[in-house]
Amino acid sequence: MTAGYAVEPHHHADVSGGWLRAATFGAMDGLVTNIALIAGVGGGGVSRHTLILTGVAGLVAGAISMGIGEWTSVRTQNDQVAAELAKELRELRLNPDGEAAELVAMWTARGLPEDLARQVAEVLKHHPEQALRVHAQEELGVVPDELPSPWTAASSSFVCFSAGAVIPLLTYLLGFDSLWLALAVGGIGLFTAGVIVARFTRQSWWRSGLRQLLLGAAAAAATYGIGLLLTG
């Protein structure tokens, strides 16, 4: 270590585990789906019992659908990456010189001195596994041993959708019979979810919260209008 300089550790959020996107999307989808669903059937003038049944059915169906969809999506993406990695490893073993030349071309295009690029590429030729990791990052934009987990994505989406979807149902489950109170609680949930997301993304908390609130309000207004129209 160079005298007089201390290496400060950097701590970064886990952005490759597959849970944050799925959790965020699940919670927002659960909130918006059931807020809009409740607004739609509430606008149609159904009973409290029917509204609760509709909301619970939407929660269960949506959570299962989200979980299956996330698992399938992430698993398919990982399978595609695995196929590309197998192809790349085969090329590294059959044509190491050509693959090294590809790295040299990419690095020099980014401003790395050609001599240094060739030196590093030559070293990697004798270490196929490390070369594969470098090629995967350079050509595919992925880290082979840091692919997202389908199960993590599925479970995060399932749980967070359920948590989001139950919020606009809370007032009805507690015995209240006011559609506007339920929608107000749902709106608070949307704003809060936006604020939580802002903590991960370091965006303005009030803008993030307001954005989610306005998007949910637009969905609720649309379905409420449809409910009125179909029963008017």
Side-chain angles (χ1 to χ4, degrees), residues 4 20 24 29 38 45 68-69 87-89 101 105 117 119 123 133 143 153 157 177 179 197:
L20 180 57
T24 302
D29 197 19
I38 289 171
I68 293 174
K87 176 183 176 182
E88 190 66 37
L89 183 58
Q119 182 180 357
V123 172
R133 184 182 179 90
V143 180
S157 182
D177 196 19
L179 173 63
V197 169

Side-chain angles (χ1 to χ4, degrees), residues 64-132:
I64 293 174
S65 176
M66 286 291 293
I68 293 174
E70 281 293 339
W71 189 92
T72 303
S73 174
V74 175
R75 180 59 186 269
T76 300
Q77 178 182 337
N78 286 357
D79 287 345
Q80 183 181 24
V81 171
E84 291 297 320
L85 291 175
K87 176 183 176 182
E88 190 66 37
L89 183 58
R90 189 164 55 249
E91 292 175 354
L92 283 167
R93 288 170 174 166
L94 294 176
N95 185 23
D97 292 331
E99 293 300 306
E102 282 186 11
L103 287 179
V104 172
M106 285 188 288
W107 288 337
T108 54
R110 296 177 186 175
L112 195 68
E114 184 174 351
D115 290 343
L116 179 57
R118 289 189 182 279
Q119 182 180 357
V120 176
E122 283 296 320
V123 172
L124 287 174
K125 278 172 53 178
H126 304 289
H127 302 278
E129 296 299 330
Q130 289 300 320
L132 177 63

Side-chain angles (χ1 to χ4, degrees), residues 22-207:
T24 302
F25 183 45
M28 295 301 180
D29 197 19
L31 276 161
V32 173
T33 296
N34 252 14
I35 288 173
L37 188 61
I38 289 171
V41 296
V46 301
S47 67
R48 172 175 168 269
H49 175 75
T50 301
L51 196 148
I52 291 176
L53 178 61
T54 302
V56 171
L59 185 158
V60 175
I64 293 174
S65 176
M66 286 291 293
I68 293 174
E70 281 293 339
W71 189 92
T72 303
S73 174
V74 175
R75 180 59 186 269
T76 300
Q77 178 182 337
N78 286 357
D79 287 345
Q80 183 181 24
V81 171
E84 291 297 320
L85 291 175
K87 176 183 176 182
E88 190 66 37
L89 183 58
R90 189 164 55 249
E91 292 175 354
L92 283 167
R93 288 170 174 166
L94 294 176
N95 185 23
D97 292 331
E99 293 300 306
E102 282 186 11
L103 287 179
V104 172
M106 285 188 288
W107 288 337
T108 54
R110 296 177 186 175
L112 195 68
E114 184 174 351
D115 290 343
L116 179 57
R118 289 189 182 279
Q119 182 180 357
V120 176
E122 283 296 320
V123 172
L124 287 174
K125 278 172 53 178
H126 304 289
H127 302 278
E129 296 299 330
Q130 289 300 320
L132 177 63
R133 184 182 179 90
V134 173
H135 276 273
Q137 290 177 283
E138 296 290 345
E139 298 181 30
L140 303 177
V142 299
V143 180
D145 54 356
E146 295 183 7
L147 296 179
S149 164
W151 291 108
T152 298
S155 58
S156 298
S157 182
F158 180 91
V159 170
C160 291
F161 183 98
S162 300
V166 78
I167 289 175
L169 280 173
L170 285 176
T171 57
Y172 285 105
L173 294 174
L174 291 174
F176 295 95
D177 196 19
S178 169
L179 173 63
W180 300 111
L181 179 60
L183 294 180
V185 171
I188 293 172
L190 281 170
F191 187 84
T192 302
V195 171
I196 293 173
V197 169
R199 289 180 59 86
F200 289 101
T201 60
R202 300 187 183 279
Q203 296 178 343
S204 168
W205 64 269
W206 65 270
R207 286 184 181 177

